[in-house]
């Protein structure tokens, strides 16, 4: 996501001919978009995206269970 944001900022600076970016090659300005696409392809291929989504769901589940236990007056166990 950071690469996408950087790419948009550089693209605007190049288009508006602002600062030192105005003199840079278009390849340099558009490189963050290619790097972002490569990152997303790697993240999907390696399972990184799915793993992070599952960790987030598991954390929500643990939080929900802990909250329910507290409401019932049961002692909650701290999980890591």
């Amino acid at each position: 996501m950071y690469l996408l944001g950087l790419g948009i900022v550089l693209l605007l600076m190049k288009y508006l001919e602002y600062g030192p970016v105005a003199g840079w090659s278009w390849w340099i300005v558009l490189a963050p978009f290619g790097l972002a696409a490569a990152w997303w392809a790697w993240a999907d291929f390696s399972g990184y995206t799915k793993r992070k989504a599952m960790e987030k769901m598991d954390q929500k589940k643990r939080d929900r269970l802990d909250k329910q236990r507290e409401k019932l007056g049961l002692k909650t166990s701290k999980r890591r």
Side-chain angles (χ1 to χ4, degrees):
M1 194 64 172
Y2 295 115
L3 289 171
L4 188 60
L6 177 65
I8 291 170
V9 169
L10 290 176
L11 186 64
L12 284 173
M13 289 176 73
K14 177 72 172 176
Y15 180 74
L16 297 174
E17 296 181 0
Y18 180 77
V21 179
W24 293 359
S25 168
W26 276 103
W27 289 104
I28 296 171
V29 174
L30 297 176
F33 293 111
L35 292 172
W39 164 257
W40 285 327
W42 174 82
D44 287 343
F45 176 74
S46 68
Y48 178 81
T49 306
K50 186 76 161 180
R51 186 171 47 250
K52 286 296 181 182
M54 290 177 69
E55 287 174 4
K56 191 174 183 180
M57 284 190 332
D58 289 342
Q59 184 62 43
K60 283 184 180 181
K61 181 179 176 182
R62 276 187 247 122
D63 292 343
R64 187 176 60 245
L65 288 173
D66 289 342
K67 188 176 179 181
Q68 290 174 355
R69 285 185 186 124
E70 285 179 19
K71 286 183 178 181
L72 291 172
L74 301 174
K75 189 174 185 178
T76 59
S77 62
K78 295 291 180 182
R79 296 182 186 177
R80 293 183 183 176

